[in-house]
Protein backbone atom coordinates (compact mmCIF):
# COMPACT_ATOMS: atom_id res chain seq x y z
CA UNK A 1 0.00 0.00 0.00
CA UNK A 2 1.32 3.44 -0.95
CA UNK A 3 1.42 5.89 1.95
CA UNK A 4 0.88 9.31 0.35
CA UNK A 5 1.26 10.97 3.74
CA UNK A 6 4.90 9.89 4.00
CA UNK A 7 7.10 12.96 3.92
CA UNK A 8 10.02 13.13 1.53
CA UNK A 9 13.36 13.62 3.24
CA UNK A 10 14.60 17.21 3.26
CA UNK A 11 16.82 18.23 0.36
CA UNK A 12 19.24 20.15 2.59
CA UNK A 13 20.70 17.28 4.59
CA UNK A 14 23.77 18.91 6.18
CA UNK A 15 24.70 22.52 6.71
CA UNK A 16 27.32 23.98 9.01
CA UNK A 17 30.16 26.33 9.75
CA UNK A 18 32.62 24.76 12.16
CA UNK A 19 35.85 25.41 14.01
CA UNK A 20 36.65 21.69 13.94
CA UNK A 21 38.10 19.67 11.04
CA UNK A 22 35.69 18.80 8.24
CA UNK A 23 34.91 15.29 7.03
CA UNK A 24 34.46 14.34 3.37
CA UNK A 25 32.84 11.09 4.54
CA UNK A 26 30.26 12.99 6.61
CA UNK A 27 29.30 15.20 3.65
CA UNK A 28 29.23 12.31 1.18
CA UNK A 29 27.15 10.22 3.57
CA UNK A 30 24.66 13.04 4.07
CA UNK A 31 23.72 13.23 0.38
CA UNK A 32 23.20 9.52 -0.17
CA UNK A 33 19.80 8.92 -1.77
CA UNK A 34 18.40 5.83 -3.52
CA UNK A 35 16.91 8.01 -6.31
CA UNK A 36 20.24 9.69 -7.06
CA UNK A 37 22.28 8.31 -9.95
CA UNK A 38 24.99 10.92 -9.58
CA UNK A 39 26.75 12.58 -6.68
CA UNK A 40 29.24 15.40 -7.12
CA UNK A 41 31.53 16.53 -4.34
CA UNK A 42 33.84 19.53 -4.10
CA UNK A 43 36.61 19.80 -1.51
CA UNK A 44 38.46 23.08 -1.04
CA UNK A 45 41.81 22.84 0.73
CA UNK A 46 44.24 25.43 2.08
CA UNK A 47 47.06 25.79 -0.42
CA UNK A 48 50.61 26.97 0.23
CA UNK A 49 50.47 29.91 -2.18
CA UNK A 50 48.14 32.54 -3.59
CA UNK A 51 48.91 34.71 -6.63
CA UNK A 52 52.55 33.55 -6.67
CA UNK A 53 53.08 34.40 -2.97
CA UNK A 54 53.86 31.79 -0.35
CA UNK A 55 51.12 31.51 2.29
CA UNK A 56 52.35 30.91 5.84
CA UNK A 57 49.07 31.18 7.77
CA UNK A 58 45.36 31.37 7.05
CA UNK A 59 42.25 32.06 9.10
CA UNK A 60 38.57 32.19 8.21
CA UNK A 61 35.96 34.24 10.04
CA UNK A 62 32.22 34.49 9.47
CA UNK A 63 29.37 36.87 10.14
CA UNK A 64 26.78 35.68 12.72
CA UNK A 65 24.23 35.25 9.88
CA UNK A 66 26.47 32.82 8.01
CA UNK A 67 24.30 29.72 8.37
CA UNK A 68 21.15 31.61 7.40
CA UNK A 69 22.88 32.93 4.28
CA UNK A 70 24.28 29.49 3.45
CA UNK A 71 20.80 27.97 3.78
CA UNK A 72 19.41 30.62 1.40
CA UNK A 73 22.07 29.71 -1.18
CA UNK A 74 21.28 26.02 -0.80
CA UNK A 75 17.53 26.63 -1.11
CA UNK A 76 18.11 28.53 -4.37
CA UNK A 77 20.28 25.70 -5.76
CA UNK A 78 17.57 23.21 -4.80
CA UNK A 79 14.92 25.34 -6.51
CA UNK A 80 16.94 25.63 -9.73
CA UNK A 81 18.28 22.05 -10.04
CA UNK A 82 16.69 18.60 -9.68
CA UNK A 83 18.65 17.78 -6.51
CA UNK A 84 17.80 14.90 -4.23
CA UNK A 85 20.16 16.12 -1.50
CA UNK A 86 22.64 18.91 -0.71
CA UNK A 87 25.30 19.26 1.96
CA UNK A 88 27.74 22.06 2.76
CA UNK A 89 30.29 22.56 5.51
CA UNK A 90 32.78 25.43 5.86
CA UNK A 91 35.58 25.78 8.35
CA UNK A 92 36.35 28.90 10.40
CA UNK A 93 39.30 29.68 12.65
CA UNK A 94 43.00 29.06 12.09
CA UNK A 95 43.80 26.46 9.44
CA UNK A 96 47.01 24.81 8.28
CA UNK A 97 48.23 24.16 4.75
CA UNK A 98 46.35 21.11 3.47
CA UNK A 99 43.38 21.46 5.84
CA UNK A 100 39.90 21.17 4.39
CA UNK A 101 38.31 24.63 4.22
CA UNK A 102 35.02 23.73 2.56
CA UNK A 103 33.20 20.56 1.47
CA UNK A 104 29.99 20.64 -0.58
CA UNK A 105 28.02 17.91 -2.32
CA UNK A 106 24.95 17.47 -4.46
CA UNK A 107 23.15 14.30 -5.45
CA UNK A 108 20.77 14.26 -8.41
CA UNK A 109 19.09 11.72 -10.68
CA UNK A 110 21.89 12.07 -13.27
CA UNK A 111 25.61 12.97 -13.19
CA UNK A 112 25.44 16.12 -15.32
CA UNK A 113 22.79 17.55 -13.00
CA UNK A 114 24.91 16.69 -9.97
CA UNK A 115 27.97 18.40 -11.46
CA UNK A 116 25.93 21.50 -12.30
CA UNK A 117 24.29 21.72 -8.88
CA UNK A 118 27.56 21.16 -7.02
CA UNK A 119 29.37 23.81 -9.04
CA UNK A 120 26.55 26.28 -8.50
CA UNK A 121 26.57 25.53 -4.77
CA UNK A 122 30.29 26.23 -4.30
CA UNK A 123 30.28 29.24 -6.64
CA UNK A 124 27.29 30.86 -4.92
CA UNK A 125 28.65 30.02 -1.47
CA UNK A 126 31.89 31.85 -2.29
CA UNK A 127 30.05 34.80 -3.85
CA UNK A 128 27.23 35.29 -1.33
CA UNK A 129 27.96 33.74 2.07
CA UNK A 130 29.66 36.13 4.55
CA UNK A 131 32.92 34.30 5.18
CA UNK A 132 36.26 36.11 5.05
CA UNK A 133 39.76 34.72 4.64
CA UNK A 134 42.80 36.34 6.25
CA UNK A 135 46.04 35.21 4.65
CA UNK A 136 49.52 35.84 6.01
CA UNK A 137 52.34 35.52 3.52
CA UNK A 138 55.89 34.27 4.06
CA UNK A 139 57.19 37.70 3.03
CA UNK A 140 55.43 39.26 6.06
CA UNK A 141 52.50 40.75 4.16
CA UNK A 142 48.89 39.84 4.66
CA UNK A 143 45.49 40.34 3.06
CA UNK A 144 41.80 39.88 3.71
CA UNK A 145 39.79 38.15 1.02
CA UNK A 146 36.01 38.55 1.17
CA UNK A 147 33.77 35.77 0.00
CA UNK A 148 31.07 38.31 -0.75
Amino acid sequence: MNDDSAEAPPVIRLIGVRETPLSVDEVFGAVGDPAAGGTALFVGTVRDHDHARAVSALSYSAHPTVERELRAVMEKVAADHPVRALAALHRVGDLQIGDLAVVVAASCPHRAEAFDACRRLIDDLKAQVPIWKHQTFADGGDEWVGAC
Side-chain angles (χ1 to χ4, degrees):
M1 181 171 162
N2 186 5
D3 182 3
D4 291 335
S5 66
E7 230 179 279
V11 171
I12 297 173
R13 305 270 178 90
L14 178 64
I15 182 171
V17 177
R18 301 177 176 171
E19 292 183 12
T20 57
L22 305 181
S23 165
V24 171
D25 289 340
E26 179 184 13
V27 172
F28 180 69
V31 296
D33 190 286
T39 300
L41 186 86
F42 173 81
V43 179
T45 57
V46 177
R47 63 181 178 263
D48 64 358
H49 68 283
D50 191 21
H51 297 94
R53 294 174 76 187
V55 173
S56 60
L58 186 138
S59 180
Y60 284 98
S61 58
H63 190 272
T65 62
V66 67
E67 285 196 18
R68 183 177 70 216
E69 298 300 324
L70 179 53
R71 181 171 296 280
V73 163
M74 295 174 82
E75 288 171 348
K76 182 72 171 133
V77 171
D80 293 346
H81 296 274
V83 296
R84 299 296 304 172
L86 293 172
L89 294 177
H90 203 294
R91 183 96 182 265
V92 292
D94 297 331
L95 282 74
Q96 303 296 314
I97 304 302
D99 282 350
L100 304 185
V102 60
V103 183
V104 301
S107 63
C108 296
H110 304 283
R111 77 174 170 271
E113 298 162 340
F115 281 126
D116 291 345
C118 188
R119 182 175 186 115
R120 169 82 178 279
L121 178 55
I122 189 60
D123 288 350
D124 288 0
L125 183 159
K126 291 192 61 75
Q128 299 172 32
V129 177
I131 297 172
W132 302 277
K133 175 171 62 173
H134 182 232
Q135 298 184 115
T136 303
F137 298 103
D139 63 13
D142 72 317
E143 73 175 350
W144 283 92
V145 180
C148 58

